[in-house]
Amino acid sequence: MTPAYCGRFAPTPSGPLHRGSLLTAVASYLDARQAQGQWQVRIEDLDPPREVAGAADTILRQLEDHGLTWDGAVQYQHDRHDAYRTALEQLRDQGMAFYCQLSRRQLSEQGGRHPGPVAAVQPGPDRAVRLAVSETPVSFDDLLQGPQQARLSEDDGAFVIRRRDGFYAYQLACALDDADSGITHVLRGIDLLDSTFRQLWVMDCLGRARPQYGHLPVLVDDNGEKLSKSAGAAALGHDTRDTLFRTLHLLRLAPPDALRHEDCATQLAWAVPRWQRQPLSGCRQLRD
Ligand code: GLU
């Protein structure tokens, strides 16, 4: 039986967690626990060249150190290649997925929008697989940001689901993992909103149930830049109580000062019944 609520946190092991990724983890954890739902962790190790040795274990330890305990076994995308292959074959059988040889440069010379299956080529090495898109807009009601809509055909057009180097693309893997894990609620950063339209399209094409999505504001630095691993955001330090307290404050929970010195489990237990999505609705950025 599918639980009424199943959430998840899905970090890429390209480095340790920073305060921005912790904010996402805490918000999705609180949303799940308040609903008495499950909260899973999935390591998105789809792209070995981008991975940093040991980062997956560091992330899991950081989650535990901040009291964020997950349900069930940690999932790893490297275990899921058979499922991705089966989904890709289904999409090809449906006539939705096709091989393509257009390079990024050729595409940008043509205005950046992929023309769709007219550019299909025979299967072969060094060829990407793309998913055709529709003229019909993809829409959904965001739990925090309200109604959303995008027409993928007017965006970049057909998108990559398996890269020319043979690695499966994030859009396919993430959509399929969420569907296969029975995820009902995805709370993640608003920087992934564009991906959500593509992942919904993947699920629709595969005939899978859609989760609900809520896009959280991203944490930005003094220059308004998103905290990110690629931009060298500092890893979380050892002062887990203070870091968690500041995160609860950023999430507009107004924690009382006395809570700052409590251990992380106590802070989270305080926060679970008080968490609300509403104070963050429409908010796209939080300043540290
Ligand atoms: N793996 C992605 C990241 O670390 C997040 C994916 C998701 O939450 O769907 O940015």
Side-chain angles (χ1 to χ4, degrees), residues 14-259:
S14 53
L17 296 182
H18 51 74
R19 298 200 344 95
S21 34
L22 183 74
L23 183 107
T24 306
V26 170
S28 72
Y29 174 93
L30 294 177
D31 206 67
R33 295 301 185 221
Q34 189 179 74
Q36 294 175 335
Q38 292 203 349
W39 190 68
Q40 300 182 4
V41 172
R42 176 173 76 234
I43 299 291
E44 298 208 313
D45 53 352
L46 204 57
D47 188 354
R50 266 188 67 204
E51 266 173 53
V52 171
D57 289 342
T58 303
I59 289 171
L60 295 175
R61 204 194 55 239
Q62 289 175 310
L63 290 173
E64 280 174 340
D65 288 350
H66 290 84
L68 299 163
T69 49
W70 54 88
D71 295 304
V74 175
Q75 294 169 40
Y76 291 86
Q77 288 186 324
H78 72 242
D79 289 334
R80 298 261 308 147
H81 287 204
D82 288 348
Y84 305 148
R85 186 177 329 110
T86 305
L88 193 132
E89 279 162 13
Q90 180 187 334
L91 294 168
R92 279 198 70 211
D93 290 347
Q94 290 170 205
M96 294 299 298
F98 60 93
Y99 281 80
C100 166
Q101 241 177 338
L102 288 177
S103 67
R104 213 174 288 181
R105 196 166 101 225
Q106 285 169 316
L107 271 176
S108 71
E109 280 163 9
Q110 293 174 23
R113 187 177 302 156
H114 193 282
V118 291
V121 294
Q122 290 301 314
D126 277 348
R127 292 168 188 193
V129 180
R130 287 183 180 259
L131 182 63
V133 295
S134 156
E135 301 286 320
T136 313
V138 177
S139 33
F140 71 99
D141 210 356
D142 192 287
L143 295 167
L144 285 101
Q145 308 289 339
Q148 304 293 320
Q149 181 169 307
R151 206 183 291 266
L152 296 176
S153 57
E154 286 178 8
D155 216 340
D156 293 343
F159 58 90
V160 172
I161 53 175
R162 202 185 72 198
R163 298 171 2 185
R164 48 180 301 188
D165 57 12
F167 292 123
Y168 291 97
Y170 161 67
Q171 308 298 6
L172 176 75
C174 183
L176 198 66
D177 291 342
D178 284 337
D180 284 353
S181 308
I183 300 299
T184 61
H185 292 72
V186 175
L187 263 71
R188 61 183 179 188
I190 198 159
D191 52 317
L192 290 166
L193 181 58
D194 281 351
S195 291
T196 299
F197 295 112
R198 288 174 179 77
Q199 290 167 21
L200 283 170
W201 178 241
V202 170
M203 292 178 199
D204 290 356
C205 290
L206 290 169
R208 308 300 300 266
R210 292 173 163 202
Q212 287 187 272
Y213 290 86
H215 288 88
L216 297 156
V218 291
L219 197 56
V220 297
D221 63 18
D222 289 344
N223 302 319
E225 297 294 330
K226 175 185 174 269
L227 263 61
S228 70
K229 292 171 202 163
S230 50
L236 297 172
H238 293 294
D239 198 351
T240 54
R241 295 177 188 212
D242 190 59
T243 307
L244 183 60
F245 180 85
R246 286 165 65 195
T247 303
L248 298 180
H249 178 75
L250 280 167
L251 289 172
R252 306 199 171 149
L253 281 155
D257 241 1
L259 199 66

